[in-house]
Amino acid sequence: MSSFLPSLQSLAKGAAATAAGLSTVGFSLLYYGQNYLIYPSAFPPGSRTEVPTPDQFGLSYEKLELVAQDGVKLHCYLLQQTKDLPQPETVAVLGAEGMDDNEFAASRPTVIMFHGNGGNLGHRIPLARIFYLKMRCNVLMMCYRGYGLSEGSPCEKGIKMDSQAGLDYVTSHPALSTTPVILYGQSIGGAVSIDLASRNPLAVRALILENTFLSLPRLVPTALPVLGPFAFLCHQKWDSAAKLPLVPRRVPLLMLSGVLDEVVPREHMLGLWELVRRREGADEASPTKGEPAGACPAPEGSLSRYVEFGNGTHNDTCVQPGYWASIAEFIQAIEQEDARKAGEGQAPHL
């Protein structure tokens, strides 16, 4: 029996050492390697070198090299509206008679697109094409640092500077500076949009958010369960729950949620929607799990709206029936409200 005790002691010491080792690996992986987990810019393979261009989809565009505050150069695309587009599916805009191309561009909304954490801006051109041809929006397609052909390495601080560079470009553009700016963000791009709007409340007209989250530390336990115990080490915060209340009530939000999202649980979008409703003075509770919301407006007089897609997953919500109709109706409602305010002598964006 006594000879067996050293073996037990050795086993206990070995188990303790293994546990300590695994804990150290977990700590190190999350703390030092989290940028590689959160920003997989090389996935799918080729994403850092093979970047589709809008002309491959029949669209004229301007290739931009925007420079962030810290000097990092960003590879972006601008699709500026012209009055006459050759594509047969182009939607006509009433009241454009007598305008030249710059005047027409200045009369249309400008959408700034912030993509998810995989791929590059070129993979989102089919989405930009719908904004451009079907809704006749100007479109600025951003590509974060470390993604596609942009310089640098991605991180929260850097991407915040990247988004600001995009907004600053639009607000200083000779034709686009007076247009209503709408931020469109998918997944982590939604967090980028919320942060940018919170820091520029007078420059942003509206937000369109798809399958985004309350914050990254609150997402870790479900997105990466093995690292759940170490979520407190997540230094890439993207704390949208804290930033969204800083976005003023005059900025409406359209929230588009895939109920079957396997990456960002539905509860995150519902949590953000509840913050929107509180901001706008709602009393009723938001829909709960198991009770599909369908299309849920904010209080009377608000343009904000929450729309669920029962078959939508993280990456295919944007192709679900009704997705683009919801966006088109939202943008049209903004245009109508701005036209009404202009008719009443009010500044349309305030």
Side-chain angles (χ1 to χ4, degrees), residues 107-140:
S107 72
R108 304 303 302 150
T110 297
V111 173
I112 305 180
M113 296 180 62
F114 296 111
H115 60 76
N117 71 338
N120 58 54
L121 82 169
H123 299 143
R124 280 78 180 186
I125 294 172
L127 309 183
R129 196 173 195 273
I130 298 175
F131 279 119
Y132 187 66
L133 298 180
K134 298 291 188 181
M135 302 177 207
R136 300 305 299 271
C137 296
N138 307 291
V139 183
L140 174 60

Side-chain angles (χ1 to χ4, degrees), residues 76 78 99 123 141 145 167 170-171 180 191 221 251 272 292:
C76 305
L78 174 65
M99 294 183 182
H123 299 143
M141 302 186 69
R145 62 186 60 210
L167 181 60
V170 170
T171 56
V251 179
L272 291 173

Side-chain angles (χ1 to χ4, degrees), residues 81-92:
Q81 280 294 329
T82 57
K83 189 169 64 172
D84 300 309
L85 296 175
Q87 292 82 359
E89 66 269 41
T90 299
V91 172

Side-chain angles (χ1 to χ4, degrees), residues 194 213-215 218 238-246 271-272 275:
I194 292 171
F213 44 80
L214 290 162
S215 73
R218 294 168 75 168
W238 290 113
D239 192 352
S240 294
K243 295 294 180 64
L244 197 149
L246 302 178
L272 291 173
L275 292 173

Side-chain angles (χ1 to χ4, degrees), residues 95-109:
E97 299 81 5
M99 294 183 182
D100 61 26
D101 284 343
N102 282 331
E103 290 171 335
F104 181 73
S107 72
R108 304 303 302 150

Side-chain angles (χ1 to χ4, degrees), residues 167-234:
L167 181 60
D168 290 347
Y169 174 82
V170 170
T171 56
S172 63
H173 190 279
L176 307 182
S177 59
T178 59
T179 65
V181 175
I182 300 172
L183 308 183
Y184 172 75
Q186 295 178 293
S187 191
I188 203 168
V192 176
S193 299
I194 292 171
D195 173 80
L196 183 62
S198 74
R199 292 185 287 110
N200 299 268
L202 298 181
V204 174
R205 180 64 181 93
L207 301 178
I208 302 174
L209 309 175
E210 178 203 307
N211 292 338
T212 192
F213 44 80
L214 290 162
S215 73
L216 280 180
R218 294 168 75 168
L219 183 64
V220 168
T222 52
L224 297 168
V226 70
L227 297 180
F230 311 109
F232 66 94
L233 292 174
C234 188

